[in-house]
Amino acid sequence: MSDFDAGSLSDLLTVYYRRLFPYYQYYRWLNYGGVVKNYFQNREFSFTLKDDIYVRYQSFNNQSELEKEVMKMCPHKIDIGAVYSHRPNQHNTLRSGAFQAQEKELVFDIDMTDYDDVRRCCSSADICSKCWTLMTIAIRILDRALEDDFGFEHRLWVYSGRRGVHCWVCDKSARKLSQAARSAVAEYLSLVKGGEETIKKVQLSDPIHPFIRKSLKVVEEYFEEYALVGQDILGSKETWDKVLALLPDVVRETLQRDFQKGHSSIQRWEQLKKAMKAHQGDLKKGFYADKEVMLQYCYPRLDVNVSKGVNHLLKSPFSVHPKTGRISVPIDLRKLDQFDPFTVPTISFICHELDSVSKKDDDGQNEEETEDKHRTRDYKRTSLAPYVKVFEQFLEKMEKSRKGELLSQSDLKKNF
C-alpha cells in the first residue's frame, strides 16, 4: 500500500474530492429521500482546513452545492452535525435563541485509547491486530443491543481511519430522540464506569440483566484468544496483580499462592474460576468477580458525551484521517471478524491506483461523459469500491423500508 506522506495531503485531497468522493451516495444518505422539507439544507457540516483552521455552520442547498464547496475548500476533515431549525450558514442573522438543533442520528464513538489500562500490546493512538479485537467485540455487543433491545434497523458502522469506530443509527425514531432519551440509551449500554483512579470499574448486581448476559456471551467467544493468549493478562506477577485487585480478599489470598505454580494465563484463569467456586460459601449470593474481570477487560467503552448531545459533531464517513491518510470507511458487519484496519486504503494508495488506470485509457476517453458518471467510473477502479458498495447496500435497505412506510401510510389513508 503506497506510503502516506502527510505533507502531500492537500494535493491528494484535490484529486480525491474531484474524482473519488462518493457525493451521490452521500447526498442520498443525508437527504433521507427528501421526505422532510429542508432536511439536507438545514444540516450542519463543519470543515477542518489545512493548519487546523476550523469552519463551522456550513450548509448546502443540494448535492451540487456541497460538491462545489468541498472541492473549493478541500477540507482535511469533514464533520457532520445536527439538522437545525434554520440553515446553519444563516445562524448569525437570527435572533438569539431561534437557532436550535432539532434532529440528528443517534451516534456512538468508541476509541481505543479508552482501553489503555487493559491492553498491553499498544497505547494511546497505536493499534495492532491483537487489540483490534476489542473493536470487533464492541461492534458485536452494541449492534445486537441496538437491533434487538431498541428495535433500530438502520445502523451504519464506520472505521474512524485510525484507532476507533463510529456508529450512526439512522432510523427516523433515533434521529428524533431528545437529549434525555439519548442519554438513557447511552447509559443502558455503558458498564465500565470510573476514571483512571477507579480500580474496579464493573460492578454486577444479582440477577444479571439479560442485556449483560448476552454481552457476556460475546465476550466469552473472544476472551481466551484475546485476553489470555494475545494480551497474556495473567502472564506475570505485574499483570496478574491488576486482575487480583478486582477480586474479593479471600479469593485473592488463595490465588496469590496458586498463581506462583501456574505456567500460563490460561492455566491461571482456570485456577481463578476454581477458587471462585471453592469460596462460594464465603461470598455473598450473586458474586460475579470472574465475569466482572472479563467485562472490565473486554466490554465496549463508550464516549457517552458524543451520544448524548443532539448538536455534537462527528467525523463524516469517507473523510480522510490526516495522520494516517486512511479513508473513514463503512464496515461490512457480515465480514466483521475479517475486517482489518491495516488493509483500509490510504488516500495515496487510491490516488496512485487512479493514476495508473487513467494513464491506460487517456486515449479512449469520452469527452461528453458527465462528471457524476466519470466519478462513479473512477472510484470503481480503486480499492475504495467495495466500501462504497457496503454504503450503497445500507442506503438501499433504508430506502426500501422508507417506501414500505409510505405505502402503509397511504393504505391507512385509503381505509378511512
Side-chain angles (χ1 to χ4, degrees):
M1 199 150 286
S2 292
D3 288 338
F4 170 68
D5 165 25
S8 59
L9 183 59
S10 294
D11 294 338
L12 293 166
L13 284 169
T14 305
V15 178
Y16 178 66
Y17 288 133
R18 191 166 49 86
R19 297 187 60 185
L20 294 163
F21 189 90
Y23 294 102
Y24 170 67
Q25 293 85 347
Y26 193 76
Y27 177 74
R28 255 171 78 197
W29 169 39
L30 295 172
N31 191 41
Y32 289 98
V35 175
V36 179
K37 194 170 179 263
N38 291 334
Y39 206 78
F40 181 80
Q41 291 77 0
N42 289 1
R43 169 81 69 170
E44 179 192 0
F45 294 88
S46 155
F47 293 166
T48 307
L49 310 179
K50 193 173 186 265
D51 302 323
D52 284 336
I53 296 162
Y54 196 48
V55 190
R56 277 199 70 175
Y57 302 116
Q58 303 288 295
S59 59
F60 311 101
N61 280 318
N62 48 40
Q63 182 188 328
S64 162
E65 208 174 278
L66 167 76
E67 283 184 36
K68 280 179 191 148
E69 204 57 26
V70 168
M71 285 192 259
K72 186 178 100 186
M73 295 183 83
C74 225
H76 281 214
K77 181 173 166 242
I78 301 173
D79 287 292
I80 299 173
V83 175
Y84 282 84
S85 50
H86 301 77
R87 298 191 182 204
N89 60 5
Q90 296 168 3
H91 76 285
N92 282 332
T93 65
L94 302 165
R95 63 181 167 75
S96 176
F99 184 63
Q100 296 290 334
Q102 293 190 319
E103 288 191 16
K104 199 189 74 186
E105 296 76 9
L106 173 62
V107 293
F108 298 94
D109 179 8
I110 305 147
D111 193 315
M112 197 72 87
T113 49
D114 294 327
Y115 294 86
D116 276 1
D117 60 317
V118 290
R119 58 179 184 141
R120 294 178 63 204
C121 50
C122 306
S123 65
S124 66
D126 293 331
I127 61 163
C128 70
S129 56
K130 280 184 187 174
C131 56
W132 187 257
T133 305
L134 290 166
M135 293 294 133
T136 307
I137 295 170
I139 294 172
R140 285 196 56 190
I141 286 174
L142 298 176
D143 195 67
R144 187 216 60 78
L146 290 166
E147 182 173 23
D148 298 349
D149 303 1
F150 292 99
F152 294 131
E153 279 182 74
H154 307 294
R155 308 167 311 278
L156 180 69
W157 285 93
V158 181
Y159 169 50
S160 73
R162 192 178 197 182
R163 56 174 186 238
V165 293
H166 302 151
C167 178
W168 299 77
V169 184
C170 300
D171 299 57
K172 188 175 166 186
S173 56
R175 287 181 273 135
K176 288 181 176 298
L177 289 175
S178 66
Q179 187 146 339
R182 287 165 199 263
S183 299
V185 175
E187 284 305 325
Y188 174 91
L189 297 170
S190 296
L191 264 188
V192 181
K193 306 271 173 82
E196 280 174 35
E197 64 296 332
T198 314
I199 293 169
K200 192 169 169 58
K201 293 183 167 79
V202 178
Q203 310 273 357
L204 295 180
S205 53
D206 190 53
I208 295 179
H209 190 283
F211 160 64
I212 298 171
R213 282 204 180 281
K214 286 171 183 166
S215 301
L216 268 164
K217 269 196 170 148
V218 176
V219 170
E220 279 159 9
E221 277 180 54
Y222 294 91
F223 187 73
E224 184 175 306
E225 188 58 38
Y226 163 71
L228 303 178
V229 178
Q231 298 293 330
D232 201 16
I233 64 167
L234 300 172
S236 66
K237 189 173 189 317
E238 186 196 348
T239 57
W240 77 53
D241 277 348
K242 282 184 177 177
V243 174
L244 292 178
L246 307 174
L247 303 176
D249 293 346
V250 281
V251 180
R252 191 183 309 135
E253 283 159 24
T254 305
L255 290 174
Q256 256 155 353
R257 287 192 306 272
D258 292 354
F259 275 6
Q260 306 287 346
K261 300 169 203 158
H263 298 296
S264 68
S265 283
I266 292 177
Q267 206 175 22
R268 291 186 185 105
W269 184 252
E270 287 307 315
Q271 290 171 325
L272 185 152
K273 290 199 288 190
K274 207 189 272 178
M276 286 285 297
K277 272 204 178 98
H279 288 287
Q280 228 157 10
D282 313 328
L283 302 168
K284 64 178 189 289
K285 183 181 176 289
F287 202 85
Y288 303 108
D290 52 341
K291 291 178 171 56
E292 288 167 344
V293 169
M294 292 169 85
L295 292 168
Q296 180 151 334
Y297 274 78
C298 300
Y299 187 84
R301 299 182 172 206
L302 292 174
D303 184 340
V304 175
N305 292 325
V306 172
S307 304
K308 284 180 177 177
V310 183
N311 58 353
H312 204 291
L313 293 157
L314 187 63
K315 185 183 180 179
S316 166
F318 297 100
S319 202
V320 177
H321 197 291
K323 295 276 195 301
T324 61
R326 293 196 195 280
I327 315 288
S328 187
V329 292
I331 298 169
D332 185 350
L333 292 207
R334 293 167 307 180
K335 299 174 187 167
L336 179 60
D337 284 315
Q338 288 85 54
F339 181 82
D340 177 357
F342 297 104
T343 61
V344 170
T346 60
I347 185 170
S348 29
F349 185 68
I350 57 172
C351 287
H352 172 70
E353 286 179 308
L354 186 61
D355 201 32
S356 304
V357 292
S358 297
K359 279 183 184 133
K360 280 181 197 165
D361 62 11
D362 264 356
D363 309 332
Q365 193 156 329
N366 175 1
E367 291 300 326
E368 290 173 27
E369 199 172 40
T370 66
E371 187 71 19
D372 248 359
K373 269 194 181 152
H374 187 62
R375 190 178 296 113
T376 304
R377 211 185 49 152
D378 279 344
Y379 82 71
K380 281 187 172 167
R381 301 153 130 204
T382 72
S383 307
L384 194 61
Y387 300 103
V388 178
K389 182 97 175 111
V390 172
F391 192 38
E392 283 178 333
Q393 286 163 347
F394 167 77
L395 294 174
E396 279 156 21
K397 188 182 168 214
M398 203 156 64
E399 283 160 2
K400 202 171 167 185
S401 104
R402 193 160 48 233
K403 275 179 193 151
E405 267 175 47
L406 293 169
L407 277 171
S408 60
Q409 280 170 15
S410 67
D411 286 349
L412 281 171
K413 282 177 190 165
K414 281 177 196 163
N415 291 339
F416 279 108

